[in-house]
Amino acid sequence: MSPRVVLATRNAHKVVEVRRILSESGLDIDLVGLDAFPDAPDVAETGLTFEENALLKARTIAAATGLAAIADDSGLTVDVLGGMPGIFSARWAGQHGDDAANLRLVLAQIADIADVDRGAAFVCAAAVARPGADEHVVRGELRGRLTREPRGTNGFGYDPIFVPDAETRTTAEMEPHEKDAISHRGVAFRALAQHLGASLP
Amino acid sequence: MSPRVVLATRNAHKVVEVRRILSESGLDIDLVGLDAFPDAPDVAETGLTFEENALLKARTIAAATGLAAIADDSGLTVDVLGGMPGIFSARWAGQHGDDAANLRLVLAQIADIADVDRGAAFVCAAAVARPGADEHVVRGELRGRLTREPRGTNGFGYDPIFVPDAETRTTAEMEPHEKDAISHRGVAFRALAQHLGASLP
């Protein structure tokens, strides 16, 4: 039986994406989201970096479930916004998880900014923690630039307004496997899969 | 007759505050806001710094009116938000000038951030431009920290959530002359008054 690993998120989109990336890495695990653990604590993301928050979530959920836990803290960093929304990406418009409001707000904030100054990056910190074992955290980044209007329906979060370098499509217009091949989350979780594969039973 | 100087803003609060600061500097000018020039162009704030935007506004309005023009670009820089709202302070919640929405959004974005990490500063760049003459820009800053709830009714913008270092009151709870003595705008416009006084007829 494949070892069970918890992904410390209640975001169903994220579970699908991470499961796809890890499975294509050849990692044989049974990955479940927090929906399978209704009593798991909500983790306040009090860290000041993606890495701190990813470790905080993995560590807390590993302790609460007794299982190996992996966690992702990721976001959009906009150059002209001083690296924000950054760790606040999921709650940028004030309420957690309102993707449409979050991306509309970023576009409104930088409406006057010229195309040449609309550089941005997707960043992902991926962490693994196991009760009584070492923790690991790795980072993936994808550089690109912001559009002026949302385009595409794949993916989630800020995908509809982000065009990777050397691309003309937003990540929401790319096929999932194309996005995974270059994405911040793809890079981070493929690196994490090495740590995970080496240490599971 | 006192020389007429235009303050390049349609924000009535800002006209009152700058007029008060300059008048206490002993500068004998007739300061008017853009309400006196209904045909003056709206200046898109396309700069990436407070200084660029202040110069842009002063320069454009001096050219449009033929008068000496002064301008202020100011905002709140929050440490944990990478220096934002910064130059986007007036439109942080998406619509220009909605002070209440802007400060509510900042509080919501950093709701999980501990008191010790809630450092911030008010920053003001003040610029002067005259048709066919040199331009000047100066900067004032006031360091402090953010509250968790708005307090006080004086001032405008983010005053209700900002407590200066060595103070317990927000700048919205301070008397106008107390605030002017230490504020970013007070520091910047007192410095600008030197340039202005030396060069007006």
Side-chain angles (χ1 to χ4, degrees), chain A residues 76-141:
Chain A
L76 176 72
T77 67
V78 179
D79 298 349
V80 79
L81 291 177
M84 294 295 112
I87 58 170
F88 306 103
S89 290
R91 66 186 302 157
W92 196 236
Q95 280 201 305
H96 193 93
D98 189 343
D99 289 358
N102 289 335
L103 70 82
R104 269 200 313 270
L105 178 58
V106 168
L107 292 182
Q109 287 168 330
I110 68 167
D112 282 347
I113 300 298
D115 288 348
V116 67
D117 292 317
R118 297 170 77 89
F122 275 139
V123 176
C124 171
V128 57
R130 283 173 302 269
D134 283 354
E135 300 170 337
H136 293 285
V137 63
V138 294
R139 170 184 279 236
E141 291 201 26

Side-chain angles (χ1 to χ4, degrees), chain B residues 144-167:
Chain B
R145 59 202 179 281
L146 297 186
T147 62
R148 292 191 177 271
E149 296 292 337
R151 298 199 314 256
T153 54
N154 293 333
F156 61 101
Y158 296 90
D159 279 328
I161 62 169
F162 183 86
V163 175
D165 284 349
E167 258 294 334

Side-chain angles (χ1 to χ4, degrees), chain B residues 46-61:
Chain B
T46 55
L48 300 185
T49 63
F50 292 112
E51 284 83 353
E52 283 180 76
N53 281 330
L55 281 167
L56 195 59
K57 287 188 272 188
R59 187 184 303 146
T60 307
I61 297 304

Side-chain angles (χ1 to χ4, degrees), chain A residues 1-5 27-32 67 200-201:
Chain A
M1 205 171 84
S2 312
R4 198 169 207 206
V5 174
L27 198 65
D28 178 30
I29 59 172
D30 173 22
L31 187 72
V32 292
L67 296 172
L200 286 173

